[in-house]
Amino acid sequence: MSDVTILAPSPTLTVTVEDHPQGSEIHVHAGGQGVWQARMLRRLGVSVTMCCVLSGEIGRTLRHLLEDEEITVVAVEREGRGSAYVHDRREGQRNVIAEEEGDAIGRHEQDDLYGAVLRSSAESTAVLLSGPAGDATVPADIYRRLAIDLRGEGRSVIADLAGERLRAVVEGGIDVLKVSHEELRSDGLVREPSVPEITHAMQHLREQGAGAVIVTRASEPLLLLDEHGVIEVSLPRFEENETRGAGDSLTAGVVAALIRGESLRDAVSLGAAAGALNVTRHGLGTGDAEAIVQLRESVQVRELPQFDADAEMPQGRVSPDGLAALAETEEP
């Protein structure tokens, strides 16, 4: 079986039109969060099984594309509309021509998908739970149940989720949770992206059931909170070509290092390198493994002071102690 099993409920067929000196160039790929994570894991030499639902002709096309990338596909097949989009980038920006989330996954299909994850992960070192194409595609509670059952079977469970799915998987219990500061704000867990307020939210998530929490902050250094405290992880900034998929590449890099026996604090540096390189590329979840390993040498890690998890921060205001702690973390 594979090193990593990924739950990717509804992968997306992506069609992108690019400019070419002799006209238009059309690219057809498998995409979506779980696919971008699987692609980066494969680039880093990790074997992957993807558990998903494949719908109609879009699903049949996706299976071929995924298997061409040496991803083992364990799929629940059905008729209906699959997730897909058509984007036009001939003018240098991404213009949406059409986007479709696909049909919601029915009760019987959910049961089959659930069973597929349990079976496929039996010999995997880790299980990565990723989100579906749309909020209505699959109920959030499936993530809570899977977290409980997978960890009960001794699997390491990592999740890259937000919204109801984040709350569900934390309630079930998770080893590592990755989330962005924008998602924390959308979920009402922070009002402003200050280090004290994000740390406060991370501590809350740990108390609720997340063993460790990684928060990405766009171009700012990411934060990791574990049982030892908070660290800040930073890389040199690159000119951004495509920001989508960078967080998924980061998650994949972390998982790749974890299954090779590295500690989470070491693993996050490989994730940071994979995510940073991805923003320079058109392909999502792509990057040369050797370049990622070399870039890892540039990652800077430093310990941050502890913040008071019980401090009151009404209306997005940071407590005086929090402001003092923040001042200590800023560069002189």
Side-chain angles (χ1 to χ4, degrees):
M1 297 296 290
S2 299
D3 299 322
V4 177
T5 294
I6 296 181
L7 169 64
S10 51
T12 300
L13 181 66
T14 73
V15 181
T16 305
V17 186
E18 302 272 1
D19 192 25
H20 188 274
Q22 297 178 342
S24 297
E25 188 172 28
I26 301 174
H27 300 271
V28 180
H29 296 288
Q33 184 185 43
V35 174
W36 298 329
Q37 292 165 344
R39 183 173 293 139
M40 178 55 72
L41 282 165
R42 292 297 301 126
R43 295 294 178 98
L44 294 171
V46 176
S47 59
V48 178
T49 292
M50 177 178 293
C51 298
C52 57
V53 174
L54 298 179
S55 304
E57 61 182 351
I58 285 176
R60 291 187 286 274
T61 302
L62 281 168
R63 177 183 282 279
H64 289 294
L65 292 171
L66 291 167
E67 290 177 346
D68 284 348
E69 296 192 55
E70 299 183 334
I71 297 169
T72 300
V73 179
V74 177
V76 178
E77 297 183 347
R78 63 173 184 174
E79 292 304 316
R81 300 178 308 151
S83 173
Y85 67 65
V86 180
H87 290 174
D88 188 342
R89 289 193 53 165
R90 286 175 291 183
E91 296 180 358
Q93 59 188 18
R94 189 176 294 275
N95 297 311
V96 176
I97 306 302
E99 290 185 337
E100 176 54 56
E101 294 180 350
D103 296 328
I105 299 174
R107 180 170 60 86
H108 296 299
E109 294 150 350
Q110 291 173 31
D111 289 344
D112 292 342
L113 179 61
Y114 197 97
V117 175
L118 294 181
R119 290 192 307 274
S120 299
S121 64
E123 298 181 19
S124 294
T125 303
V127 181
L128 177 52
L129 304 180
S130 67
D135 288 338
T137 304
V138 63
D141 194 58
I142 195 172
Y143 291 92
R144 180 190 64 82
R145 293 164 48 218
L146 274 172
I148 293 171
D149 290 344
L150 289 167
R151 295 184 83 206
E153 292 295 317
R155 305 282 84 75
S156 295
V157 183
I158 300 94
D160 189 344
L161 300 166
E164 292 184 6
R165 292 180 290 276
L166 180 151
R167 291 188 288 273
V169 80
V170 169
E171 181 182 346
I174 191 100
D175 293 291
V176 182
L177 173 69
K178 179 264 176 183
V179 64
S180 72
H181 77 280
E182 293 98 336
E183 290 165 336
L184 290 177
R185 177 182 283 176
S186 296
D187 292 344
L189 296 175
V190 299
R191 294 185 179 91
E192 61 181 36
S194 66
V195 171
E197 192 159 347
I198 290 174
T199 303
H200 187 278
M202 295 168 77
Q203 291 170 331
H204 174 73
L205 289 168
R206 282 204 77 225
E207 292 167 0
Q208 296 301 308
V213 183
I214 299 169
V215 176
T216 57
R217 299 190 296 148
S219 60
E220 297 299 315
L222 66 87
L223 302 175
L224 164 65
L225 173 67
D226 60 12
E227 69 273 19
H228 304 297
V230 186
I231 61 172
E232 177 189 80
V233 182
S234 58
L235 272 173
R237 296 184 182 181
F238 294 109
E239 186 70 22
E240 294 180 351
N241 182 67
E242 174 62 84
T243 59
R244 297 187 317 150
D248 301 314
S249 292
L250 183 148
T251 302
V254 170
V255 174
L258 287 176
I259 67 167
R260 291 168 181 158
E262 297 188 27
S263 70
L264 179 58
R265 289 196 164 198
D266 289 334
V268 75
S269 66
L270 182 64
L277 184 62
N278 195 86
V279 303
T280 69
R281 303 173 62 86
H282 282 90
L284 305 184
T286 65
D288 178 71
E290 184 176 349
I292 292 171
V293 171
Q294 291 177 347
L295 185 58
R296 187 183 193 182
E297 299 300 318
S298 302
V299 174
Q300 297 180 357
V301 179
R302 65 169 180 159
E303 195 96 20
L304 295 186
Q306 294 287 343
F307 298 105
D308 184 2
D310 297 320
E312 293 290 334
M313 289 188 286
Q315 299 179 355
R317 299 177 63 87
V318 182
S319 68
D321 289 343
L323 284 172
L326 177 60
E328 293 179 14
T329 69
E330 292 179 347
E331 295 293 338

